[in-house]
């Protein structure tokens, strides 16, 4: 249950009410909000006199639900705004991993030349093998910060585990929680306490309910800037790396109020399919796309097969723009 307390109730009183009712307490747009388990179906009698409005839910998808907030939540990333009624499709680009200063500068230049301003690049890579390139770590974060200073781009980079969550939070503009880290309670709880957008990727074996509940950990801790990212789930199919769950996207758009960004690069795993999939996503009115692109994909230290060349990325932007514009969206 979500309960909006009356404006006569102050912070301290709200905190006490939360404690006695085993509820979370957040302040949202100046309102004291209590959130209990969805198993609570009737407003406790002692809360009746102090409650302005309340919502009852079938399951623990509560703060994220459209039943609670009917329009898509707005999230700002630097000068870019998605959600609300903006009809903006945010195109994020950059390499899988930050590999060197020259490489990441080349990606930053590519974005500037296309009037785009959100740069991705992993520094702490959640690799499937311990023998693969693990990322540049802090050195990579410093290179991304340098690109922010030089180009004015917003930086999105992923946190792999709780050992470096503080570093990533400090040096990024959007914290990416990867598919493998999505269940990490330490990361989710740390991201709940920050005032920065969080891009939460869906685990490849994660149900939609579990995915949205992971977002609830961040929302109920007080950070309302959560963006969901579908990046492919594991099915019986082996010809493609994963299967992009567009049915799941339709579900998230229908039942949640969180902006949804799509990652076709990791879903298919091969460059040839990234642009066609990106167009399909754009046709669904998604809030953004996150695309891997590398100055020379053949020598990329991670995810080489799926990264677009810079020319390929430019072509993707043109193609996606046609589809987005056809449904009244702008690529930003
Ligand atoms: C990535 O974005 O490079 C990445 C590792 O993605 P995912 O967590 O979706 O596998
Ligand atoms: Mn990658």
């Amino acid at each position: 249950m979500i309960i909006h307390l009356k404006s006569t109730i102050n912070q301290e009183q709200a905190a006490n009410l939360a404690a006695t009712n085993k509820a979370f307490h957040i302040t949202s747009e100046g309102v004291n909000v209590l959130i209990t388990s969805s198993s609570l179906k009737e407003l406790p009698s002692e809360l009746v006199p102090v409650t302005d409005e309340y919502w009852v839910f079938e399951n623990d998808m509560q703060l994220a639900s459209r039943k609670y907030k009917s329009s898509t939540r707005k999230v700002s990333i630097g000068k870019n705004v998605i959600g609300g009624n903006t009809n903006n499709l945010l195109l994020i680009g950059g390499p899988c991993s930050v590999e060197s200063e020259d490489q990441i500068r080349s990606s930053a230049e590519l974005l500037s030349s296309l009037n785009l301003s959100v740069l991705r690049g992993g520094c702490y890579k959640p690799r499937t093998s311990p023998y693969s390139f693990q990322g540049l770590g802090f050195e990579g974060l410093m290179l991304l910060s340098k690109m922010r200073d030089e180009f004015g781009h917003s930086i999105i980079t992923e946190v792999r585990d709780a050992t470096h969550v503080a570093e990533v939070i400090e040096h990024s503009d959007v914290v990416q929680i990867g598919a493998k880290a999505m269940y990490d309670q330490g990361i989710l709880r740390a991201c709940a306490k920050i005032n920065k957008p969080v891009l939460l990727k869906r685990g490849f074996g994660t149900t939609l309910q579990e995915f949205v509940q992971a977002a609830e950990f961040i929302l109920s801790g007080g950070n309302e800037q959560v963006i969901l990212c579908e990046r492919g789930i594991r099915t019986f199919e082996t010809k493609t790396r994963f299967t992009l769950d567009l049915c799941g996207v339709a579900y998230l758009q229908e039942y949640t109020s969180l902006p949804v960004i799509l990652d076709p690069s990791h879903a298919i795993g091969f460059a040839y399919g990234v642009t066609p999939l990106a167009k399909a996503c754009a046709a669904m009115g998604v809030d953004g796309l996150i695309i891997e692109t590398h100055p020379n994909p053949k020598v990329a230290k991670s995810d080489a097969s799926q990264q677009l060349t810079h020319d390929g990325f430019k072509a993707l932007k043109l193609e996606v723009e046609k589809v987005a514009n056809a449904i009244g969206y702008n690529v930003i």
Side-chain angles (χ1 to χ4, degrees):
M1 181 181 291
I2 298 179
I3 302 155
H4 278 195
L5 297 175
K6 287 188 171 157
S7 58
T8 48
I9 303 300
N10 65 30
Q11 287 277 347
E12 199 187 329
Q13 291 168 314
N16 288 337
L17 288 168
T20 50
N21 287 280
K22 296 192 175 59
F24 285 86
H25 168 219
I26 61 172
T27 17
S28 174
E29 293 163 14
V31 177
N32 280 304
V33 183
L34 303 187
I35 311 108
T36 73
S37 154
S38 60
S39 58
L40 187 67
K41 305 293 182 195
E42 276 184 38
L43 190 63
S45 55
E46 76 273 17
L47 290 179
V48 173
V50 295
T51 296
D52 200 19
E53 216 179 342
Y54 69 100
W55 293 259
V56 175
F57 297 91
E58 276 166 30
N59 57 49
D60 281 348
M61 296 197 282
Q62 302 192 94
L63 290 166
S65 72
R66 277 217 197 271
K67 183 173 178 183
Y68 175 53
K69 290 219 189 273
S70 56
S71 54
T72 305
R73 290 165 180 258
K74 262 192 191 165
V75 176
S76 298
I77 298 169
K79 59 180 193 278
N80 303 293
V81 184
I82 56 171
N85 295 317
T86 59
N87 280 10
N88 284 336
L89 185 157
L90 180 67
L91 181 54
I92 303 168
C96 178
S97 300
V98 178
E99 298 172 5
S100 68
E101 184 162 341
D102 283 352
Q103 175 238 20
I104 197 66
R105 180 171 288 107
S106 166
S107 301
E109 282 166 354
L110 169 73
L111 295 189
S112 290
S113 75
L114 295 170
N115 217 6
L116 300 173
S117 60
V118 186
L119 176 66
R120 66 146 288 148
C123 302
Y124 300 90
K125 298 303 298 178
R127 302 308 299 278
T128 310
S129 164
Y131 310 116
S132 311
F133 175 63
Q134 303 293 307
L136 293 182
F138 191 70
E139 189 192 337
L141 281 184
M142 291 300 98
L143 292 176
L144 287 172
S145 292
K146 203 167 176 183
M147 297 307 114
R148 179 199 291 111
D149 295 345
E150 280 183 32
F151 294 87
H153 293 333
S154 299
I155 299 303
I156 170 162
T157 192
E158 68 193 288
V159 50
R160 183 190 61 214
D161 60 61
T163 60
H164 53 264
V165 64
E167 268 159 57
V168 173
I169 287 170
E170 184 180 345
H171 297 289
S172 64
D173 301 302
V174 179
V175 181
Q176 176 177 327
I177 303 179
K180 291 175 188 149
M182 192 214 85
Y183 290 105
D184 188 311
Q185 304 276 313
I187 295 174
L188 293 171
R189 286 172 204 273
C191 289
K193 295 293 162 216
I194 62 174
N195 183 20
K196 281 185 182 181
V198 177
L199 182 82
L200 179 66
K201 288 188 139 193
R202 180 182 180 187
F204 47 74
T206 299
T207 65
L208 293 165
Q209 172 90 29
E210 289 168 342
F211 184 30
V212 178
Q213 283 177 192
E216 294 274 339
F217 272 96
I218 304 170
L219 297 165
S220 63
N223 185 357
E224 301 196 68
Q225 304 166 74
V226 181
I227 303 163
L228 300 176
C229 179
E230 161 60 29
R231 45 77 73 209
I233 54 174
R234 183 157 281 164
T235 66
F236 54 81
E237 188 51 71
T238 54
K239 295 286 187 224
T240 57
R241 190 177 183 191
F242 295 98
T243 297
L244 189 61
D245 182 14
L246 295 185
C247 295
V249 171
Y251 175 90
L252 296 171
Q253 289 177 323
E254 180 72 12
Y255 291 104
T256 84
S257 61
L258 304 178
V260 181
I261 284 186
L262 273 282
D263 176 349
S265 304
H266 287 89
I268 187 157
F270 298 98
Y272 74 84
V274 172
T275 297
L277 283 173
K279 287 161 70 182
C281 299
M284 290 186 75
V286 300
D287 301 287
L289 290 165
I290 181 163
I291 305 290
E292 287 190 344
T293 176
H294 191 284
N296 186 2
K298 283 203 262 324
V299 300
K301 293 189 172 162
S302 57
D303 288 349
S305 63
Q306 70 198 31
Q307 303 207 54
L308 298 183
T309 60
H310 285 184
D311 282 346
F313 186 81
K314 286 180 193 162
L316 173 141
K317 182 173 184 252
L318 288 175
E319 291 294 305
V320 164
E321 238 152 12
K322 284 186 215 157
V323 178
N325 295 345
I327 62 156
Y329 273 63
N330 294 311
V331 175
I332 59 168

